[in-house]
């Protein structure tokens, strides 16, 4: 089944403890992206990747890191999480071949930083 | 600054009725506009994608229109169903801006029996 998977789905952690949220897709998509969603602010793009080894900042990249070493995976790294990073996170992917292809979203990761 | 504004913020309609959601954007130069449906707690699902050369696109009971001159789009839902209750999000991409997407804050639609 074609899908985007995220792990973990729920995470409660403490300030300053490094964490990684994994994202994987099985559709051979070039484009992958991370978003956070907060009440009243909607979805905001954190980082995106047009292809392997190519990453760019979105609107709210501060406090986050990403890497794209292989096509199927795009992990989101929080080196030193803070309470303002408590949010619902979505990963998404699509083809990237000069045309706006449909973007597929993962199920979301609910992160709480205390 | 590139922005996407949606209206209304929320809407309540009766089952079976039609409704129209609005999206205005300032993204320039414009590349494409997408409408997504997001059920509570779940990832958004794509409804339509339109480039600057397209005026209308349908997906079942959902019809999106685009006026690239006035930078406006609308999403019309026909014969609403209870399952249409969700947040509808307008997303705009600028030309030559790579993979950067600008999201509207969404319209929360509630369909009542």
């Amino acid at each position: 089944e074609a899908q985007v998977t995220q792990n973990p789905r729920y995470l409660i952690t403490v300030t300053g403890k490094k964490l990684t949220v994994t994202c994987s897709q099985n559709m051979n998509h070039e484009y992958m992206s991370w978003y956070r969603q907060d009440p009243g602010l909607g979805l905001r793009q954190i980082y995106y990747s047009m292809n392997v080894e190519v990453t760019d900042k979105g609107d709210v990249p501060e406090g986050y890191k990403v890497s794209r070493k292989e096509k199927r995976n795009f992990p989101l790294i929080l080196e030193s999480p803070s309470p303002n990073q408590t949010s619902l996170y979505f990963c998404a992917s699509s083809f990237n071949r000069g045309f706006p292809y449909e973007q597929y979203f993962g199920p979301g990761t609910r992160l709480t930083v205390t | 600054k590139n922005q996407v504004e949606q209206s209304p913020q929320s809407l309540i309609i009766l089952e079976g009725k039609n409704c129209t959601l609005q999206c205005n954007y300032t993204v320039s130069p414009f590349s494409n506009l997408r409408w997504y449906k997001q059920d509570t707690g779940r990832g958004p699902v794509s409804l339509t994608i339109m480039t600057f050369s397209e005026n209308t696109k349908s997906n079942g009971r959902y019809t999106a229109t685009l006026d690239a001159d006035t930078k406006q789009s609308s999403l019309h839902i026909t014969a609403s169903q209870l399952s249409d209750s969700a947040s509808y999000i307008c997303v705009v991409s600028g030309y030559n801006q790579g993979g950067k997407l600008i999201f509207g804050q969404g319209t929360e639609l509630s369909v009542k029996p």
Side-chain angles (χ1 to χ4, degrees), chain A residues 6-10 88-91 105-110, chain B residues 41-43:
Chain A
Q6 297 179 227
N7 282 293
R9 293 289 314 280
Y10 303 90
L88 179 59
Y89 291 86
F90 289 103
C91 179
F105 282 78
T109 294
R110 189 167 291 281
Chain B
R42 306 192 69 162

Side-chain angles (χ1 to χ4, degrees), chain A residues 9 31 35 37 40-45 48 50 57-59 88 90 99-103 105-107 110, chain B residues 31-32 34 36 38 41-46 49-51 54 57 89 97-105:
Chain A
R9 293 289 314 280
Y31 179 91
Y35 305 91
Q37 187 170 36
L41 296 177
L43 278 156
R44 293 178 292 169
Q45 194 172 31
Y48 63 93
M50 303 289 273
K57 296 177 181 178
D59 286 324
L88 179 59
F90 289 103
F99 183 84
Y101 286 90
E102 179 177 344
Q103 192 165 170
F105 282 78
R110 189 167 291 281
Chain B
S31 174
N32 62 83
R34 309 157 190 247
Y36 287 93
Q38 185 178 22
R42 306 192 69 162
V45 174
S46 179
I49 303 174
M50 288 184 292
T51 63
E54 297 174 290
K57 186 164 278 190
I89 305 169
Q97 291 182 16
K100 196 164 186 178
L101 302 178
I102 313 297
F103 285 74
Q105 292 195 19

Side-chain angles (χ1 to χ4, degrees), chain B residues 1 9 13 20 24 28 30-32 44-45 51 54-55 61 67 71 73 77 80-81 84 88 99-100 104 107-108:
Chain B
K1 182 182 177 182
Q9 208 168 1
I13 62 173
T20 300
N24 296 338
S28 183
F30 170 81
S31 174
N32 62 83
V45 174
T51 63
E54 297 174 290
N55 300 119
R61 295 180 295 102
D67 186 334
K71 296 184 169 55
S73 175
I77 304 174
S80 62
Q81 299 176 358
D84 290 332
Y88 291 84
K100 196 164 186 178
T107 292
E108 196 71 35

